[in-house]
Structure formats: C-alpha cells, structure tokens
Amino acid sequence: MSVTLLAQLSDLHIVPAGERLDGRIDTAAGLRAAVATVTGWPQAPDAVVLTGDLTDAGEPAAYAHLRQLLVPLAGIPLWPVAGNHDDRSLLRATWLTDAAPALAAALAGDGEGAAADGFLQYTVPVGTAGLRLVVLDTAEAGQPWGRLCPRRLAWLDRTLARHRDASVIVALHHPPFDSGIAVMDRIGLREGREGLAEVLAAHPQVERVICGHLHRNVHASIGRVPVSCAPSPAHQIALQMDPQAPGGWILEPPGLHLHRWTGPGQLVTHLVPVGRFDGPHPFGR
C-alpha cells in the first residue's frame, strides 16, 4: 500500500529575529518545535503546506527569519498559502529566491496564470500516488477578512477540471464556515462561500479542504466536503462562544496536522501536539 503524508503548519506569525509577538509570544520557538516534530518522525512527509499568516506583519525581516527557521526542512517540498497577515509579493519572493523552481513552475503552470492576477494560486502533486494539492488565495489586500472573487473561483474550477483523475486537497487560509468564535467569524471568509461550495460540488475528486486562521483544531464541512482547520504551533485563539466576547489569544498546547492518504476516499487527519513528551513506551511495560 502506498502512503502519502502531507504535514500542515499554520499561523506561524513569525516576527523579525530577536523579537516576540506582542512582546510576549515566542513564535520562532513555536516554529522550531514544530519543525523538530516533523523532522523527528520516522517517515518524512512528502510535503509540508503552510496555510497562511506565515509572518505577523509581512515585513522583509520577518520573511528572512522564516526562511532561516525552515532550513531543517530542506529536501521536503514546502508549499505556502497567503494569509491576511502576509504580504503576497514578499511571500512569493521568499519562495522564489532560493531553490524553488517547483513553485515557479506551478505558478506559471496554467497559461491563464493565477499569478497574472496577482494571486498566489497553484497546484502541485504530493507524493507519487495520485494526490494533488490545490492552493487557493483568499487574502484581500489591507483587510483581515478573506474573499474569493469570481476570478479566483473560475481559476479553481478550471484547475479541478484539468485534474479530474486525481484526489485533491484544497488549501486556503480563511475557513469557509462560521466557527462560533464571533471575533474570528467577523474576519473569516466574507465573500465567495457559496461560489466555493458550487465549485466543490461540481468536482467530486476534492476530498478535503484545509485551512488555518482560527488557531484551533476545528472540523466542519462545506457541502459534502470535510474541512479541517489546523492549530498554530505558537498560540491559539481563545475558545469564547459568547458573541459579545472581545476575543484574545491563549497559550494552549501548540499543534499541527498530519494528513495521511492511501487512495481515493482514504484521507485521515491526525492532530499532532508540538513539543517533547515522555515516550513512546512499549505496551505492557
């Protein structure tokens, strides 16, 4: 049986080296621990997808720091997704400055080029057994909330039509559902949910939508398609279901997702805590 592994890290919020987010949160330490978790697995993932907010303020120094922190993952394809805290142009440049011909090829891969519209949208195979990742750009310049305009949805429809024989995971930043955390729902995917549902309904090879933004392990669906939202390796959004709650962050356990695919209809997602833990120990001892 062929096994394809896709690791998902989300909402890294990296700041320039030597700084802390809000003066308190060591996001670099969180990413180092997440990278160590991934590199410590007996079987390396076939790829890592980073579902947005890779930096906190989208400045060049933060992207330079991000590149340094990801060095231990060299040799594993790293696929970026634009988040509302990212600068799309700098994010693209970060991935194209080094040995990233695969992303350059993916961005130029469809003649109508999502890149031509300025969006960071592309599709790549994951592993060799027939799984494909489709990256969708929900970022809206200058806004915390997300949007899928008709151009982006049309690109998704064309891309899925070209890959009808593959099993597909669609990755985006803003979740296409309401979580019940009102402060986050107000800055969720405001426009394009219905259009996204229509496109997905027309392409049954899509097995999962994966996202970030919520800094929590959350599961929902859009039509028949399951949606998985990954936690952050640094800080989480406080779980406050009171619609009047102002919102805030909390240092709950950090985590990431590991998606395991063994064939059409056989996609399993694991929540992986980030950190060092006692064990594993053999049963019965």
Side-chain angles (χ1 to χ4, degrees):
M1 178 178 64
S2 178
V3 176
T4 300
L5 298 177
L6 174 66
Q8 180 188 359
L9 304 181
S10 196
D11 298 281
L12 313 180
H13 287 270
I14 298 301
V15 294
E19 298 182 13
R20 292 191 175 210
L21 179 62
D22 290 342
R24 300 178 63 184
I25 307 172
D26 192 346
T27 57
L31 180 53
R32 287 191 195 96
V35 167
T37 296
V38 173
T39 58
W41 290 335
Q43 182 178 352
D46 294 279
V48 175
V49 60
L50 306 161
T51 46
D53 286 357
L54 308 191
T55 67
D56 188 65
E59 70 267 61
Y63 284 109
H65 193 198
L66 173 68
R67 288 170 58 190
Q68 295 172 356
L69 294 167
L70 293 175
V71 165
L73 295 177
I76 301 174
L78 304 177
W79 303 116
V81 179
N84 54 287
H85 280 260
D86 288 306
D87 180 291
R88 193 184 280 119
S89 297
L90 286 175
L91 177 56
R92 184 196 308 273
T94 296
W95 254 257
L96 299 183
T97 49
D98 294 324
L103 180 58
L107 287 170
D110 82 327
E112 301 160 12
D117 282 328
F119 303 124
L120 188 66
Q121 301 195 143
Y122 57 94
T123 180
V124 290
V126 179
T128 59
L131 181 64
R132 180 162 285 272
L133 177 70
V134 174
V135 169
L136 193 56
D137 188 338
T138 59
E140 188 71 4
Q143 301 295 339
W145 45 266
R147 178 178 183 240
L148 286 173
C149 62
R151 296 197 311 276
R152 283 177 270 195
L153 289 170
W155 176 88
L156 176 63
D157 189 45
R158 293 193 305 270
T159 299
L160 293 176
R162 290 201 308 273
H163 298 287
R164 293 191 182 278
D165 295 333
S167 292
V168 172
I169 294 175
V170 174
L172 44 78
H173 179 65
H174 294 86
F177 60 86
D178 285 337
S179 67
I181 304 174
V183 69
M184 296 304 294
D185 293 339
R186 286 193 288 270
I187 59 170
L189 185 63
R190 279 196 187 177
E191 298 181 32
R193 289 191 195 182
E194 296 82 3
L196 177 60
E198 290 174 5
V199 172
L200 295 178
H203 298 283
Q205 77 272 31
V206 177
E207 298 202 9
R208 184 76 54 86
V209 172
I210 62 175
C211 60
H213 193 58
L214 291 176
H215 292 235
R216 300 198 66 83
N217 176 49
V218 185
H219 302 275
S221 62
I222 178 167
R224 61 162 188 84
V225 182
V227 183
S228 298
C229 181
S232 168
H235 57 299
Q236 312 311 316
I237 298 296
L239 183 60
Q240 297 174 324
M241 292 295 179
D242 180 352
Q244 304 304 317
W249 55 268
I250 184 172
L251 293 179
E252 290 180 342
L256 58 89
H257 277 176
L258 177 64
H259 307 284
R260 180 181 184 268
W261 182 82
T262 54
Q266 301 295 321
L267 180 63
V268 175
T269 296
H270 293 265
L271 169 65
V272 183
V274 166
R276 294 181 177 274
F277 306 95
D278 185 28
H281 301 287
F283 290 129
R285 294 185 186 179

